[in-house]
């Protein structure tokens, strides 16, 4: 048994629905009282708030084929005309937002997610990038990243990504076993993944790979084979997502229940198998599910506790900006507010065509919630809270910070007895065993969720 194997009693106690904390408050707490006018006001205010760097997100919602497991905002493929209209609206939406931003601010990040952004012709992606890059100055080597489904892309497309300005590509692999992919309705890579990676690397593009554990037909042996194949290719970053089963969000996931989902303890074994192999191969673990090469800037940021996180993933002090999102369902993450665009494609197109921001809900954080968000963010990124460091950063006493985030000594001491956290006067440190339940530890600071529970996935 591996030393971090989680006892069944802890799985029973802590494998309960809990937020993922990719944002605080979680997106299901956003409210329709937050309007487009509020977002406009918040964009203007964001010019004088920190961080001053700009991060942009484009949501491309369409997919050629929908994977049964998908928990993302993905929509069936549309006609070429409809997609052209969608891209046109992304440009129009930029025309509504960009004039509100201070033109001296620098771009740190541009990220395309979905759905499948690579359903767009590469020239359209280039034009979207240029729209931003011609408007604002940039930091040295801003990160320009795109999530790619390799099932549909040929050599010319991969080559075109470098020309369109991309310097990081996330390959959605999920699993290398064809029978697993078939069962979840996913097309395997069109070209050998190793060939795609060398082609991209020759053009200076860094490589991320996404994997998913907890799918039907996965066994520790099959997943070991998958991860070994990945290690041979040596992506710069690799994510092993825990499959989030949320059939109330996506009914297609019920098909997987019929195919037979692994239980929590098998799922945990799948993760441990991957984790052991990756650590042995020299990868460093970031947060719960990210693994990075030792040379990666996220590895260095982990060492000096300067990691940050947004909806698009981890970032460093160099690349952390406030996020302005474009496209259907896009979520903007500003220093004092979140704003989410409508989920309805036609409503999105009509609103933007008429010159309106397509915001349907959001959240304005009060000062206390901004402190709680900082506490949860540092815990989720660094598996550590150094209260003195936070106190210096926030210019508040440790007692005041603990008071504002509802520090529950009894609950944390219980977690310490269970071996999930180490507690000392100035530090809270998540143990190797506790990493699987870091979301539960974060939830002890989250009075909003505790007082008003909603549906969430389980940590394992
Ligand atoms: C928008 S998708 C990736 C882009 C592209 N559409 C693809 O499939 O390759 C982002 C990632 O979310 C992860 N994902 C999707 N559904 C998930 C779920 N239910 N639970 C956990 N991760 C999930 C997958 O690993 C996927 O690669
Ligand atoms: S995993 Fe990717 S391709 Fe599959 S449905 Fe989700 S967004 Fe689309």
């Amino acid at each position: 048994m591996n030393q971090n194997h989680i006892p069944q009693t802890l799985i029973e106690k802590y494998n309960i629905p809990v937020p993922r904390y990719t944002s605080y408050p979680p997106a299901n707490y956003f409210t329709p009282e937050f309007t487009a006018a509020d977002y406009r006001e918040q964009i203007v205010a964001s010019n004088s708030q920190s961080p001053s760097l700009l991060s942009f997100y484009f949501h491309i919602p369409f997919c050629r084929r929908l994977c049964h497991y998908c928990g993302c905002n993905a929509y069936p493929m549309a006609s070429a005309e409809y997609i052209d209209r969608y891209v046109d609206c992304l440009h129009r939406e930029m025309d509504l937002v960009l004039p509100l931003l201070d033109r001296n601010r620098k771009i740190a990040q541009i990220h395309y997610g979905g759905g499948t952004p690579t359903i767009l012709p590469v020239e359209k992606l280039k034009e979207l990038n240029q729209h931003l890059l011609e408007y604002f100055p940039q930091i040295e080597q801003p990160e320009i990243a795109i999530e790619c489904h390799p099932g549909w892309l040929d050599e010319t497309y991969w080559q075109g990504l470098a020309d369109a300005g991309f310097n990081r590509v996330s390959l959605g692999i999920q699993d290398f076993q064809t029978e697993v992919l078939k069962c979840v309705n996913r097309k395997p890579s069109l070209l050998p993944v190793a060939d795609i990676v060398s082609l991209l690397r020759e053009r200076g593009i860094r490589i991320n790979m996404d994997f998913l554990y907890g799918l039907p037909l996965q066994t520790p042996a099959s997943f070991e084979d998958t991860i070994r194949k990945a290690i041979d290719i040596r992506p710069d970053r690799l994510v092993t997502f825990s499959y989030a089963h949320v059939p109330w969000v996506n009914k297609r996931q019920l098909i997987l229940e019929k195919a037979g989902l692994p239980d929590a303890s098998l799922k945990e074994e799948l993760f441990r198998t991957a984790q052991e192999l990756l650590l042995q191969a020299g990868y460093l673990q970031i947060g719960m599910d990210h693994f990075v090469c030792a040379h990666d800037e996220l590895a260095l940021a982990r060492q000096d506790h300067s990691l940050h996180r947004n909806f698009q993933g981890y970032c460093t002090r160099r690349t952390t900006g406030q996020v302005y999102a474009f496209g259907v369902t896009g979520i903007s993450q500003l220093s004092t507010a979140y704003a989410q665009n409508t989920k309805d494609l036609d409503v999105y197109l009509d609103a933007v065509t008429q010159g309106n921001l397509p915001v349907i809900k959001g959240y304005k954080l009060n000062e206390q919630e901004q402190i709680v968000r900082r506490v949860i963010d540092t815990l989720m990124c660094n598996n550590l809270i150094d209260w003195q460091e936070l106190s210096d950063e926030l210019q508040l006493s440790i007692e005041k910070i603990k008071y504002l985030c509802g520090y529950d000594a009894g609950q944390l001491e219980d977690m310490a007895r269970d071996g999930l956290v180490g507690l000392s006067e100035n530090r809270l440190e998540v143990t190797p065993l506790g990493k699987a339940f870091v979301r539960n530890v974060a939830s002890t600071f989250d009075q909003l969720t505790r007082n008003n529970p909603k549906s969430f996935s389980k940590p394992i």
Side-chain angles (χ1 to χ4, degrees), residues 21 280 373 437:
Y21 292 116
Q280 271 165 22
R373 174 171 68 176
F437 299 118

Side-chain angles (χ1 to χ4, degrees), residues 63 66-67 69-70 74 115-116 149 186:
C63 298
L66 295 174
C67 312
Y69 59 76
C70 187
T116 308
H149 187 334
R186 188 171 170 91

Side-chain angles (χ1 to χ4, degrees), residues 392-403:
D392 296 343
E393 178 193 319
L394 300 170
Q395 296 291 301
L396 288 172
S397 71
I398 295 179
E399 293 68 36
K400 180 87 180 166
I401 299 173
K402 286 187 172 176
Y403 169 75

